[in-house]
Amino acid sequence: MAKSSLLSSSIARKVAMALSGLFLISFLSLHFFINLISVIDQDTFNEFSHFMGNNGLIQFVMQPILIAGVVFHFVMGFVLELQNRSARPIQYAKYNGSENSSWASRNMIISGLVVLAFLGVHFYDFWVPEMIYKYVDVKPIDETRYYWELVHKFESPVRTALYCVSFVLLSLHLWHGFSSSFQSVGFNNKFSKTIHKLGYAFAIIVPFGFIFIALFHHFNH
């Protein structure tokens, strides 16, 4: 009975982590779409950014949910990793993991830690200054400031390089995480192969799209 309870608890944690991961993927998609506009049209990017930054529903409902989702996803990742390790108390003398699984799947914690650190830097770069601008300094609203604030962040070659490395590791994290999320929630049918292919495409297009945006602003301003 205890064994069955532990199994159910483990499955529930995996499903919860998968659902939080899929939620974060939807946010990442929206974030990528808006940032990509900065490469295409400065005014449109400012309009989107101003709307996102001043909409009450987004600021006071969706944003806290997003932050809670990020924390939950990574905490659950550590819990599952510790659980998996405790389930294998005896370590094999010789084990060649590369023959049985990809680097991404074996190092989700490593890539996840880097992504978490990157999110911390990202919040420090964009969210904290935005909160100070709106609620501390209380400056007159400037609806055209967003584009040049974004460009300014990518002036430093060191900061731009760190962003690029972080997105490469995000790509590796998504490469394994996207498809495994659907498996965890029980999505296994004739569309599974298509979902996996879409997941791999997403893991390449979106992170490397962010890298393109960072390099574009670094070299063009």
Side-chain angles (χ1 to χ4, degrees):
M1 189 74 174
K3 185 175 181 181
S4 175
S5 177
L6 286 172
L7 179 60
S8 299
S9 176
S10 176
I11 293 173
R13 289 193 187 100
K14 289 180 179 179
V15 170
M17 184 177 179
L19 291 174
S20 66
L22 292 173
F23 167 72
L24 295 178
I25 284 172
S26 65
F27 161 76
L28 186 66
S29 301
L30 176 62
H31 197 57
F32 172 67
F33 171 74
I34 294 175
N35 279 21
L36 186 61
I37 294 175
S38 71
V39 174
I40 302 169
D41 186 81
Q42 176 179 334
D43 293 333
T44 304
F45 173 76
N46 282 329
E47 290 175 8
F48 268 100
S49 298
H50 182 73
F51 172 79
M52 296 292 289
N54 293 275
N55 182 279
L57 178 63
I58 294 172
Q59 290 295 299
F60 302 112
V61 178
M62 295 305 299
Q63 192 163 260
I65 291 175
L66 170 64
I67 294 172
V70 169
V71 173
F72 177 85
H73 183 74
F74 284 99
V75 169
M76 192 58 64
F78 287 116
V79 170
L80 289 172
E81 178 67 15
L82 291 173
Q83 178 182 300
N84 291 336
R85 290 186 179 184
S86 64
R88 300 190 301 269
I90 301 175
Q91 299 296 325
Y92 293 103
K94 185 177 181 181
Y95 172 70
N96 188 357
S98 61
E99 293 183 357
N100 303 294
S101 59
S102 66
W103 186 94
S105 64
R106 297 194 314 273
N107 295 278
M108 289 292 282
I109 287 295
I110 295 175
S111 60
L113 278 172
V114 175
V115 172
L116 184 60
F118 161 74
L119 286 173
V121 172
H122 189 70
F123 270 95
Y124 176 78
D125 271 354
F126 293 96
W127 186 77
V128 172
E130 184 70 11
M131 295 299 102
I132 292 174
Y133 180 94
K134 289 193 295 188
Y135 303 114
V136 179
D137 294 341
V138 195
K139 296 178 180 178
I141 296 176
D142 179 6
E143 299 183 12
T144 65
R145 63 188 171 87
Y146 304 97
Y147 178 81
W148 292 110
E149 287 178 354
L150 176 68
V151 169
H152 175 68
K153 298 301 181 183
F154 295 117
E155 288 178 352
S156 167
V158 174
R159 186 183 297 273
T160 302
L162 288 174
Y163 264 72
C164 291
V165 171
S166 298
F167 279 118
V168 169
L169 288 169
L170 174 62
S171 176
L172 293 172
H173 194 79
L174 289 169
W175 184 267
H176 174 71
F178 193 102
S179 58
S180 65
S181 294
F182 281 95
Q183 290 178 348
S184 296
V185 296
F187 191 90
N188 187 19
N189 54 35
K190 63 181 180 179
F191 300 109
S192 296
K193 288 184 178 180
T194 302
I195 292 294
H196 286 179
K197 290 178 180 178
L198 289 174
Y200 295 144
F202 184 91
I204 294 173
I205 294 171
V206 172
F208 283 91
F210 274 112
I211 290 174
F212 165 74
I213 294 168
L215 293 177
F216 175 88
H217 290 304
H218 177 71
F219 288 109
N220 285 277
H221 295 285

